Amino acid sequence: QVQLVESGGGMVQAGGSLRLSCVASGRTVSTYDMAWFRQTPGKERDFVAGFARGSSAINYGDSVQGRFTISRDSDRSTVYLQMNNLKPEDTAVYYCAARFGAHVYNYWGQGTQVTVSS
């Protein structure tokens, strides 16, 4: 099946930047819809950014619009999330997700912690 492994999380000060990476098995990145979500303990999982395969349309959550950028390198089977101008409210566990032939994401990574201090 599909396996997703995130990396790149860490602790930064407000205004700093991080780039998250998600390495996917096989050709998942090029054939599946890919997205990033984030979650704080006790709260629901929130959509951060995502794109559909073969589509030029990219969607971002309102709170990250203009600050985060999602991209992919199909040859390296990797999807990235460039996060700039980080804010304390961006603190969360960030998850890479994939879906195929469904409107819900059915494959998930283990997550990577991002902590932004003020």
Side-chain angles (χ1 to χ4, degrees):
Q1 305 96 337
V2 174
Q3 184 174 358
L4 307 173
V5 181
E6 304 98 331
S7 63
M11 181 180 296
V12 298
Q13 288 186 300
S17 299
L18 285 174
R19 188 178 77 162
L20 306 183
S21 299
C22 172
V23 178
S25 59
R27 297 190 60 81
T28 301
V29 170
S30 61
T31 59
Y32 284 61
D33 292 347
M34 304 295 298
W36 287 94
F37 291 80
R38 65 187 183 186
Q39 185 172 24
T40 300
K43 296 184 178 180
E44 294 184 353
R45 184 179 57 209
D46 294 327
F47 175 81
V48 176
F51 54 80
R53 67 187 190 280
S55 176
S56 61
I58 300 176
N59 296 317
Y60 293 97
D62 292 339
S63 63
V64 305
Q65 181 72 43
R67 299 188 297 119
F68 291 9
T69 302
I70 187 172
S71 62
R72 58 183 169 186
D73 185 339
S74 296
D75 291 336
R76 295 181 177 180
S77 299
T78 303
V79 60
Y80 303 96
L81 183 68
Q82 178 66 46
M83 306 185 294
N84 297 326
N85 192 24
L86 284 162
K87 304 177 183 298
E89 52 263 40
D90 295 320
T91 295
V93 176
Y94 284 71
Y95 296 92
C96 179
R99 67 183 179 189
F100 180 83
H103 213 62
V104 297
Y105 289 87
N106 48 355
Y107 298 99
W108 298 88
Q110 294 298 308
T112 184
Q113 176 71 48
V114 172
T115 302
V116 184
S117 61
S118 59

